[in-house]
Amino acid sequence: MHSTFMKIAGAFAPIQSIAAPAVRAASWCVPDEVRAGSRVALSREIVATLFIMLAMATIEGGVIAVFAKHAFADSVSRGTLNLLVGLLAAMGELANILSFFWSSASHAKPKVKMMTGMYAGVVACIGLIALLPTTGMPGLVALLLLVLAARVCWSGVITLRPTVWRANYPRETRMRAVGIISGIQVLCVAIVGMVMSRVLDWNAEAYRVFLPVAAALGLIGVLIFSRTRVRHEAKLLREERDEGGEKVMKPWRGPVAVWEVLRRDKWYAQF
């Protein structure tokens, strides 16, 4: 996936020259206490997050669930539609159950390269949703599978991102950096959700244009993020290789660990 993405990135090379001023402008949002070595990384991540979240916000639970509810209301039975809409709304939480896989898959591998591939997967899934029909079960099931694939990729980003943050941002400023990034995410979800609802109220078929545009903006963010550098990455990867994966949970252990937690905590299991 990464090699294919890099070929696409070559075609979009002029965007990098446009993105550079945006990254410089984002440096004004970086707190003064962030040291020089981390300012560029944070500025780049701020801009990348902004563009990526403009795409990601279109498949957030509340947004995509409402879209599916209205789009398939006349072609799928009410009970089935309500069940699948509920699954769409909870897809982020369901995908997080699989996040344990990424810890093992990314062990001793370049984190930014893997995250770039995951971001590209998210953007690709969002673009493909625009091609789906909004009549009948096949379209709804395909929507469910594409959102699941995108959320699984996103769970990988969430799993690996703290490793990059620990390497790039000192402890004393890390929470401030994470707060800025999280704030951008929340704002994008709110704004995109509102705009998308108004657009679809105006024209129900507008998603065929809205989603590709969002995916294109997301791709710009992926290209910007792909140039992120992890401080002391060689040392980090060497330490992970020396550990030999002994401290990393094996993929098959993930479901077992979840089951053990639910079995021990009955109140949480009921929740």
Side-chain angles (χ1 to χ4, degrees), residues 17 93 98 104 127 130 133 154 165 176 192 219 228 235 237:
S17 61
E93 289 71 21
L98 303 176
S104 177
W154 184 255
W165 286 343
R176 188 79 178 273
V192 171
L219 180 59
T228 299
K235 179 183 177 182
L237 296 179

Side-chain angles (χ1 to χ4, degrees), residues 86-254:
L87 286 175
L88 278 171
M91 198 59 73
E93 289 71 21
L94 293 174
N96 285 339
I97 297 175
L98 303 176
S99 62
F100 57 81
F101 165 78
W102 296 114
S103 297
S104 177
S106 65
H107 185 71
K109 294 182 177 65
K111 302 301 183 285
V112 169
K113 183 180 291 186
M114 288 202 67
M115 290 174 64
T116 299
M118 294 169 193
Y119 277 134
V122 171
V123 170
C125 289
I126 292 170
L128 288 173
I129 291 174
L131 303 177
L132 298 180
T134 54
T135 55
M137 280 296 294
L140 183 55
V141 171
L143 174 63
L144 194 72
L145 293 176
L146 283 173
V147 173
L148 176 60
R151 298 299 309 202
V152 168
C153 289
W154 184 255
S155 73
V157 171
I158 300 301
T159 301
L160 301 186
R161 196 163 55 176
T163 302
V164 176
W165 286 343
R166 282 194 298 269
N168 283 352
Y169 310 132
R171 180 179 302 176
E172 58 271 14
T173 58
R174 191 179 304 149
M175 290 305 297
R176 188 79 178 273
V178 173
I180 293 172
I181 294 169
S182 299
I184 292 172
Q185 293 182 182
V186 172
L187 284 174
C188 285
V189 170
I191 293 172
V192 171
M194 180 179 65
V195 173
M196 186 172 175
S197 65
R198 293 296 181 90
V199 170
L200 293 179
D201 283 343
W202 170 67
N203 187 335
E205 289 293 311
Y207 77 97
R208 298 192 186 280
V209 175
F210 192 93
L211 290 179
V213 170
L217 293 173
L219 180 59
I220 294 174
V222 178
L223 294 172
I224 294 171
F225 179 81
S226 68
R227 301 189 66 181
T228 299
R229 296 293 177 263
V230 178
R231 300 182 73 241
H232 309 301
E233 183 176 43
K235 179 183 177 182
L236 173 65
L237 296 179
R238 184 170 59 252
E239 290 174 349
E240 290 184 355
R241 283 192 295 268
D242 292 342
E243 290 176 359
E246 296 177 358
K247 298 182 179 180
V248 179
M249 180 183 290
K250 302 300 181 184
W252 60 268
R253 281 287 302 166

Side-chain angles (χ1 to χ4, degrees), residues 17-47:
S17 61
I18 299 174
V23 173
R24 287 195 294 270
S27 64
W28 290 95
C29 302
V30 178
D32 293 336
E33 60 267 27
V34 176
R35 63 191 183 192
S38 301
R39 293 185 70 85
V40 174
L42 182 54
S43 300
R44 185 175 299 281
E45 190 163 4
I46 287 172
V47 178

